[in-house]
Amino acid sequence: QHEVKSDLEIAQSAKLKHINEIAQVLGVEVDDLEHYGKYKAKLPLHLIDPEKIKKSKLILVTAITPTPPGEGKTTTSIGLTEGLNRIGKKTTVVLREPSLGPVFGIKGGAAGGGYSQVVPMEDINLHFTGDFSAIEKANNLLAALIDNNIYFQKESLGIDPRTVKWKRVMDMNDRSLRSIITGLGGRPGGNPREAGFNITAASEIMAILCLAESFQDLKTKLGNIYVGDTYDNKPIYCRDLKAQGAMAALLKDAIKPNLVQTLEGNPAIIHGGPFANIAQGTNSVLATKLGLSLSDYVVTEAGFGADLGAEKFLDIKCGYSGLSPSAVVIVATVRALKYHGGQCLKSLTTPNLGALKAGCANLEKHLENIAQFGLPAVVSINRFSSDSDEELDFLKTRCKELGAHVALSEGWALGGEGTTQLARAVVETVENFNGRYTPIYDWNSDIKTKVETVAKKIYGAGSVVFQAKALADIKHIEALGLGHLPICIAKTQKSFSDNEALIGRPSGFELTVREFEIAAGAGFLVPITGAIMRLPGLPAVPAALHIDIDDNGVISGLS
Ligand code: ADP
Ligand code: MG
């Protein structure tokens, strides 16, 4: 057994190519790059080529219902990209940007793992090219303009501060800012009101940036943000405050996708990072389109399990952008399937065929769901060192019995060498498919029907209960003329249902919608089931305590 290196040690021992070389692989002129040092560059939007996009193939990586550490979607996306390039397919991986919250909290970074990573790992996980900061500033400019409008009576739109839902944001897990009172200090301090912070990834600006297709579109979407109501109940939008121009100006560079590389020197575009529960949970449309414009295959990821990530990817992102994947890769792990079969989290490394067998019901439902969208699926078994051969063989056989393509993925341990089998299975699937996805619901059906359709068809619910607040919100949304928007259901990622204890493949359960949020700028409605954390706290022993930098500027302890 060789010694297991940490993700950061692997990333730091890689010999990086100059970003100009990566651009060259994509056929991008050096002159078109906006350099952020030697290994990062922004790509201009004029490189987007609608004709080339139509010919290129998009591969969506999603997963079974995950356990808390994640099942390896990012790692698989990067590994598969190495494998595809090895078998001669010109492929770019397109991913979200990590948030500092998890980097310093529990989960750690989000630049892949083992021998399937994007680099420079430290930069990607910490600040990167400053996109999150720009989003934070645009978000907080609107917050300041709202409070300022309330402060200056003469210019006032008559906003009732009690109706303002817009929060300030910062990219940090900091529970003490979640609920606060602003405007203290008497007359010069403004009007005291209940306020709070969200994490930057939860900002509607992030969701907007990731759906916007041009500066004009960005401004329109920003202008459409619903701010609150006046004392006489008239809705106020961001455009009423004339804020969208300055906000878009702050996003001048953030709108441009970032080019970096994988450990094996293949192109990676990393851009935007919206939450996967209250937002669409996937990188920007512009990044995906740039990837498809510059290479023949794009591998991309959508957050959480397929019930959340893939559904929103298809019904929202593809619905707006016209994109459609040619194959869906479902990441499955023996560990998580055993968990779904009733084995407790602490003993997942112990072989247990019985639990694995029972847990396969979860994978089966995800496969059925991808088929409901009319898309072909490939199950990628992300191999962990604790998996027994017997378990792996069982899972492969089970997938074949279900009629699914299946391949073992060893990208974490071996990089591209461990994913060529998966890459071949994906290419074969893509080449045999010529269609497009079918949306699961019609945007124009009424709000309740949209929620019920996703709940019953995708989650397996028996019925949906709309609580009183949710019913009042539906009336309000319809009165605003926003009933035609797609829905982005906020639900736990730990179960198909809204109850995280219901593992495996629950069915016939009741899904409860408490209330709705309106993301009129991004262009979707958010039915809320259960509690949603928009500004997490740090754990008792945060990951931050292990991170350090030495006298040579070398960072350690990032994971
Ligand atoms: P996701 O994108 O699904 O949240 P990630 O790809 O970020 O998951 O992986 C989650 C964590 O698990 C990362 O720390 C990664 O390094 C680790 N990981 C992924 N695959 C493996 C594997 N096969 N063996 C060991 N660790 C893995
Ligand atoms: Mg991920």
Side-chain angles (χ1 to χ4, degrees):
Q1 276 281 306
H2 58 88
E3 154 211 23
V4 180
K5 282 196 195 171
S6 76
D7 288 354
L8 183 58
E9 283 162 353
I10 294 170
Q12 285 175 341
S13 55
K15 175 96 184 75
L16 270 62
K17 294 180 187 164
H18 193 285
I19 200 68
N20 291 353
E21 270 184 67
I22 306 297
Q24 201 178 15
V25 170
L26 294 174
V28 174
E29 307 275 334
V30 168
D31 209 34
D32 271 335
L33 295 179
E34 290 176 26
H35 290 97
Y36 284 64
K38 280 196 281 189
Y39 307 115
K40 297 169 283 180
K42 284 205 170 262
L43 294 168
L45 303 186
H46 70 76
L47 297 176
I48 291 176
D49 176 353
E51 288 311 309
K52 174 70 170 90
I53 291 172
K54 283 185 211 151
K55 291 183 218 134
S56 301
K57 303 293 183 189
L58 180 60
I59 297 149
L60 173 64
V61 176
T62 181
I64 58 166
T65 305
T67 56
E71 300 322 309
K73 293 183 299 295
T74 308
T75 306
T76 301
S77 301
I78 298 166
L80 173 58
T81 299
E82 313 282 37
L84 284 165
N85 278 296
R86 273 182 192 235
I87 64 166
K89 300 290 174 189
K90 201 175 157 191
T91 308
T92 299
V93 64
V94 182
L95 297 169
R96 280 185 291 176
E97 298 182 39
S99 157
L100 288 180
V103 168
F104 295 136
I106 303 173
K107 193 175 167 180
Y115 288 88
S116 291
Q117 296 189 57
V118 282
V119 282
M121 187 265 212
E122 302 92 317
D123 299 46
I124 294 168
N125 280 314
L126 305 169
H127 303 302
F128 200 21
T129 55
D131 297 342
F132 273 46
S133 302
I135 287 160
E136 176 197 306
K137 290 297 178 290
N139 180 101
N140 294 345
L141 172 61
L142 177 57
L145 291 172
I146 294 168
D147 278 318
N148 191 54
N149 190 273
I150 295 169
Y151 179 77
F152 282 108
Q153 297 275 316
K154 264 198 198 153
E155 304 297 320
S156 167
L157 292 166
I159 300 171
D160 179 349
R162 295 164 305 183
T163 67
V164 175
K165 298 245 169 63
W166 194 255
K167 299 269 179 83
R168 288 171 172 80
V169 299
M170 71 187 295
D171 194 25
M172 194 60 66
N173 283 1
D174 186 354
R175 66 174 67 74
S176 55
L177 290 174
R178 206 177 288 155
S179 304
I180 56 172
I181 295 173
T182 52
L184 298 179
R187 266 193 159 173
N191 296 50
R193 68 175 183 93
E194 200 181 330
F197 276 76
N198 289 337
I199 194 158
T200 305
S203 169
E204 191 180 341
I205 309 291
M206 180 65 90
I208 289 173
L209 186 93
C210 290
L211 287 168
E213 303 226 25
S214 65
F215 279 108
Q216 190 52 54
D217 188 30
L218 176 67
K219 277 194 284 186
T220 305
K221 286 181 161 66
L222 292 171
N224 287 343
I225 293 170
Y226 173 58
V227 167
D229 300 315
T230 62
Y231 282 101
D232 49 6
N233 287 323
K234 280 211 292 283
I236 296 293
Y237 296 93
C238 173
R239 57 180 178 266
D240 298 317
L241 287 150
K242 301 188 175 67
Q244 71 275 21
M247 289 162 74
L250 282 170
L251 299 171
K252 139 177 135 32
D253 296 316
I255 198 173
K256 295 174 199 158
N258 307 293
L259 179 65
V260 287
Q261 64 192 289
T262 64
L263 282 179
E264 295 178 16
N266 291 309
I269 298 179
I270 303 198
H271 192 224
F275 259 27
N277 42 23
I278 53 160
Q280 69 272 34
T282 174
N283 62 262
S284 73
V285 167
L286 287 169
T288 308
K289 289 197 166 173
L290 256 173
L292 292 165
S293 301
L294 302 173
S295 51
D296 299 332
Y297 281 70
V298 161
V299 180
T300 193
E301 170 195 2
F304 296 150
D307 51 329
L308 291 166
E311 188 275 319
K312 289 167 186 176
F313 187 92
L314 297 165
D315 284 319
I316 300 174
K317 178 172 175 170
C318 292
Y320 274 116
S321 63
L323 294 165
S324 182
S326 299
V328 176
V329 173
I330 303 181
V331 177
T333 60
V334 165
R335 300 182 323 160
L337 290 173
K338 284 191 288 192
Y339 170 73
H340 287 293
Q343 194 163 356
C344 73
L345 271 179
K346 288 194 197 96
S347 62
L348 290 184
T349 49
T350 316
N352 182 342
L353 267 187
L356 176 60
K357 201 168 174 179
C360 280
N362 182 269
L363 170 62
E364 195 173 332
K365 175 64 177 149
H366 286 294
L367 279 166
E368 285 171 24
N369 286 350
I370 298 308
Q372 290 194 72
F373 284 105
L375 293 174
V378 179
V379 177
S380 167
I381 305 174
N382 180 15
R383 182 180 199 158
F384 278 70
S385 54
S386 56
D387 299 347
S388 70
D389 289 341
E390 210 185 357
E391 288 172 315
L392 291 168
D393 287 343
F394 174 85
L395 182 51
K396 271 192 253 175
T397 310
R398 186 77 193 105
C399 289
K400 285 180 193 152
E401 280 167 13
L402 293 169
H405 297 271
V406 56
L408 199 59
S409 173
E410 298 185 87
W412 185 84
L414 302 170
E417 200 189 314
T419 58
T420 47
Q421 198 197 349
L422 173 65
R424 288 207 179 85
V426 167
V427 169
E428 194 192 310
T429 306
V430 164
E431 283 176 355
N432 283 323
F433 181 72
N434 251 325
R436 286 184 61 80
Y437 79 102
T438 318
I440 215 75
Y441 59 87
D442 177 359
W443 288 12
N444 288 314
S445 49
D446 66 85
I447 298 172
K448 271 186 173 177
T449 307
K450 287 187 268 201
V451 178
E452 281 163 356
T453 307
V454 175
K456 290 179 185 171
K457 283 196 180 169
I458 300 295
Y459 304 164
S463 59
V464 181
V465 176
F466 295 90
Q467 290 187 343
K469 172 84 169 68
L471 292 173
D473 288 343
I474 289 176
K475 272 198 185 147
H476 182 211
I477 291 164
E478 282 169 350
L480 292 171
L482 299 173
H484 63 283
L485 294 176
I487 53 163
C488 181
I489 301 180
K491 179 181 76 67
T492 178
Q493 70 270 25
K494 296 178 183 164
S495 168
F496 271 113
S497 75
D498 53 353
N499 171 5
E500 60 180 57
L502 298 183
I503 51 172
R505 179 185 184 160
S507 68
F509 54 86
E510 212 170 62
L511 187 89
T512 305
V513 178
R514 271 199 344 234
E515 58 184 318
F516 282 81
E517 275 178 20
I518 303 172
F524 50 73
L525 305 168
V526 189
I528 310 268
T529 73
I532 299 300
M533 179 56 70
R534 290 176 188 75
L535 185 61
L538 290 169
V541 185
L545 308 194
H546 310 296
I547 298 173
D548 202 2
I549 184 163
D550 72 10
D551 236 13
N552 299 316
V554 178
I555 290 177
S556 57
L558 267 180
S559 62

